[in-house]
């Protein structure tokens, strides 16, 4: 690879499909070091990432999604920039979204969500996941070949989150069309068109009447529970606060799970021995999903802003420094994972990955993503006799089998063309 100093992680297209040699080279020099192009402190070590994730007093999440783009509204000067953060955080893109909030506001808003996406609710919802998986697979499997991202993972995860929330059936196609148009380059992209203050305005507009309706006429669904939930202090949230949480659940509940399913299905299609093992020993699927999360984290990383001067892993970090916690690198830290680049579906400590973050901002939808991946994989295995990567090419754009999300946040395929035989048929 090119000299580390010459590579711009945030702009260099060469690092989109395979950033791992770059991450390993960074960690080899030091697990905490500043990259030269945007001044971001790259945290590629597992222990160092946990240190930052678990310290919400020192590190703000206000730049969690955008990182160094588009920059802070004012110069971050002085030995404590906390006041500047609070004064200007509303000017930052996505400042109204849960991942960018800091305690105590984050604590209160997250509490709304955690009271609703409970193990009991997920267990009740899992029965419908099997039905929804079959509904999507009926069309996906009909032609013997299909795009696992656009034709299976995307529609399946949308139906699951819509079903969980209780979204009206007649609205789901519109949501699918709109989100498909904006996915793959919006949040986490570096183009100016992707940095609107709130790219989720469409969801806000649609969720306001849902929440207002549930407050007038409660139903037995998550939206009703969300609409009528209270903050920990007993106060009733404004409709706008509830809408932001609901929109975040809907958007985040899709994108990352789609990337997880894509990575898992690619692994299955490329490894016939693994595919046979998972078909015959279904109890291995859960750990296979964890290893997929470790090796191919759907989120490359998360950002934090240092409020005060501090040290991370023994490295000085000045106040106002943006740090990138590179989950995709930390999950391959050889200090914690033996042969970290090797995909081992039986890895005993696979679940120690930080693909869903850690600490106060651990992804609240992680249990849902795990359940969706497990159900989607198992149902696809139930209904096919063989799954392979397609050898065909599609259109003038060339080979669409492998194409990755072109952002510095998301990690995963935007296209994955598979061939399959129906269950019971002999493999061709």
């Amino acid at each position: 690879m090119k000299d580390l100093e010459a590579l711009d992680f945030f702009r260099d297209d060469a690092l989109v499909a395979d950033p791992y040699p770059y991450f390993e080279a960074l960690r080899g020099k030091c697990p905490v070091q500043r990259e030269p192009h945007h001044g971001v402190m790259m945290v590629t070590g597992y222990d160092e990432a946990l240190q930052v994730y678990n310290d919400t007093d020192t590190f703000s999440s206000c730049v969690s999604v955008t990182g160094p783009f588009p920059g802070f509204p004012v110069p971050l000067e002085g030995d404590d920039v906390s006041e500047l953060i609070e004064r200007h955080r509303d000017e930052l893109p996505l400042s109204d979204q849960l991942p960018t909030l800091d305690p105590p506001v984050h604590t209160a808003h997250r509490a709304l969500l955690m009271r609703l996406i409970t193990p009991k609710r997920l267990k009740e919802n899992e029965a419908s996941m099997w039905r929804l998986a079959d509904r999507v697979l009926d069309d996906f499997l009909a032609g013997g070949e299909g795009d696992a991202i656009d034709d299976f993972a995307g529609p399946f995860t949308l139906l699951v989150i819509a079903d969980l929330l209780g979204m009206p059936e007649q609205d789901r196609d519109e949501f699918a069309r709109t989100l498909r148009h904006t996915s793959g380059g919006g949040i986490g992209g570096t183009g100016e068109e992707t940095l609107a203050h709130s790219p989720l305005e469409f969801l806000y507009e649609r969720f306001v009447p849902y929440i207002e309706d549930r407050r007038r006429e409660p139903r037995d669904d998550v939206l009703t529970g969300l609409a009528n939930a209270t903050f920990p202090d007993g106060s009733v949230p404004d409709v706008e606060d509830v809408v932001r949480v609901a929109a975040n659940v809907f958007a985040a509940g899709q994108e990352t799970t789609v990337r997880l399913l894509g990575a898992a299905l690619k692994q299955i299609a490329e490894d016939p021995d693994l595919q046979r093992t998972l078909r015959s020993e279904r109890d291995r699927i859960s750990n296979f999903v964890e290893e997929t999360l470790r090796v191919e984290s759907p989120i490359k990383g998360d950002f934090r802003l240092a409020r005060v001067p501090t040290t991370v892993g023994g490295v000085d970090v000045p106040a106002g420094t943006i740090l990138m916690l590179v989950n995709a690198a930390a999950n391959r830290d050889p200090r914690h994972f033996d042969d970290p680049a090797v995909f081992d579906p039986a890895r005993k400590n696979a679940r120690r990955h930080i693909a869903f973050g850690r600490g106060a901002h651990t992804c609240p939808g992680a249990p849902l993503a795990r359940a969706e991946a497990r159900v989607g994989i198992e149902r696809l295995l139930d209904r096919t006799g063989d799954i392979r990567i397609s050898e065909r090419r599609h259109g003038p754009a060339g080979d669409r089998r492998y194409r990755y999300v072109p952002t510095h946040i998301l990690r995963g395929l935007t296209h994955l063309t598979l061939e399959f035989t129906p269950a019971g048929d002999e493999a061709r």
Side-chain angles (χ1 to χ4, degrees), residues 100-138:
T100 68
L101 302 179
D102 292 318
V105 176
H106 174 266
T107 306
H109 283 239
R110 184 183 173 92
L112 294 178
L113 185 57
M114 298 309 292
R115 293 179 184 179
L116 302 171
I117 303 184
T118 62
K120 179 177 182 294
R121 172 67 72 172
L122 289 176
K123 186 174 181 62
E124 293 169 350
N125 187 245
E126 187 168 322
S128 70
M129 286 188 199
W130 295 92
R131 172 179 55 82
L132 295 171
D134 276 328
R135 175 175 163 181
V136 176
L137 286 171
D138 285 343

Side-chain angles (χ1 to χ4, degrees), residues 24-350:
E24 289 165 12
L26 279 181
R27 195 192 312 106
K29 291 183 66 176
C30 180
V32 181
Q33 63 175 301
R34 193 181 294 272
E35 59 84 37
H37 301 278
H38 305 279
V40 174
M41 196 74 82
M42 305 290 280
V43 182
T44 54
Y46 184 94
D47 295 325
E48 294 78 11
L50 288 188
Q51 177 190 337
V52 178
Y53 271 126
N54 290 321
D55 188 353
T56 57
D57 291 334
T58 304
F59 302 99
S60 170
S61 296
C62 64
V63 295
S64 174
V65 177
T66 57
F69 307 100
F72 204 79
V74 297
L76 290 167
E77 299 174 341
D79 285 338
D80 189 339
V81 299
S82 298
E83 184 180 346
L84 289 172
I85 291 172
E86 296 314 312
R87 192 186 308 163
H88 296 281
R89 70 159 60 242
D90 290 346
E91 301 169 40
L92 293 168
L94 295 161
S95 59
D96 56 359
Q97 284 296 292
L98 190 63
T100 68
L101 302 179
D102 292 318
V105 176
H106 174 266
T107 306
H109 283 239
R110 184 183 173 92
L112 294 178
L113 185 57
M114 298 309 292
R115 293 179 184 179
L116 302 171
I117 303 184
T118 62
K120 179 177 182 294
R121 172 67 72 172
L122 289 176
K123 186 174 181 62
E124 293 169 350
N125 187 245
E126 187 168 322
S128 70
M129 286 188 199
W130 295 92
R131 172 179 55 82
L132 295 171
D134 276 328
R135 175 175 163 181
V136 176
L137 286 171
D138 285 343
D139 291 333
F140 179 60
L141 298 177
E145 177 185 287
D147 189 318
I149 308 300
D150 282 348
D151 302 329
F152 176 51
F156 173 56
T157 56
L158 185 144
L159 287 175
V160 168
I161 196 66
D163 181 69
L164 175 68
L165 291 173
M167 180 183 298
E169 185 82 26
Q170 65 269 21
D171 294 348
R172 297 178 186 182
D173 286 344
E174 180 187 1
F175 274 77
R177 287 193 304 272
T178 303
L179 293 177
R180 182 172 299 162
H181 175 73
T182 59
S183 69
I187 297 174
T190 56
E192 290 186 5
E193 72 280 2
T194 70
L195 293 172
H197 185 271
S198 183
L200 300 181
E201 287 294 343
F202 166 76
L203 293 179
Y204 292 169
E205 292 175 4
R206 298 312 304 269
F207 273 102
V208 165
Y210 293 159
I211 298 303
E212 292 175 339
D213 178 62
R214 296 310 195 276
R215 285 189 170 179
R216 288 191 302 267
E217 299 180 20
R219 305 173 196 176
D220 183 22
D221 59 22
V222 168
L223 278 176
T224 295
L226 191 59
N228 294 286
T230 59
F231 285 132
D233 64 3
S235 61
V236 177
D238 292 338
V239 169
E240 290 76 11
D241 288 333
V242 179
V243 164
R244 291 181 189 116
V245 173
N248 183 258
V249 171
F250 190 87
Q254 277 198 72
E255 193 72 54
T256 53
T257 309
V258 168
R259 305 308 162 206
L260 166 58
L261 269 169
L265 294 179
K266 178 176 181 290
Q267 197 73 40
I268 288 171
E270 289 183 328
D271 190 336
D273 290 338
L274 170 64
Q275 189 173 151
R276 282 190 290 271
T277 297
L278 296 181
R279 287 184 187 280
S280 61
E281 301 177 53
R282 298 300 175 86
D283 60 334
R284 293 193 175 212
I285 292 178
S286 291
N287 203 71
F288 162 73
V289 169
E290 299 302 330
E291 180 70 346
T292 301
L293 285 163
R294 185 193 70 81
V295 171
E296 289 287 356
S297 304
I299 301 293
K300 290 179 187 174
D302 205 349
F303 295 96
R304 294 292 186 270
L305 181 61
R307 297 175 178 272
V308 295
T310 187
T311 61
V312 178
V315 176
D316 290 336
V317 178
T321 298
I322 292 177
L323 300 92
M324 182 176 186
L325 312 181
V326 190
N327 300 339
N331 286 336
R332 296 189 179 203
D333 189 334
R335 295 174 295 176
H336 287 268
F337 302 100
D338 294 336
D339 298 320
V342 174
F343 188 96
D344 179 4
R347 188 181 295 273
K348 292 181 179 179
N349 67 341

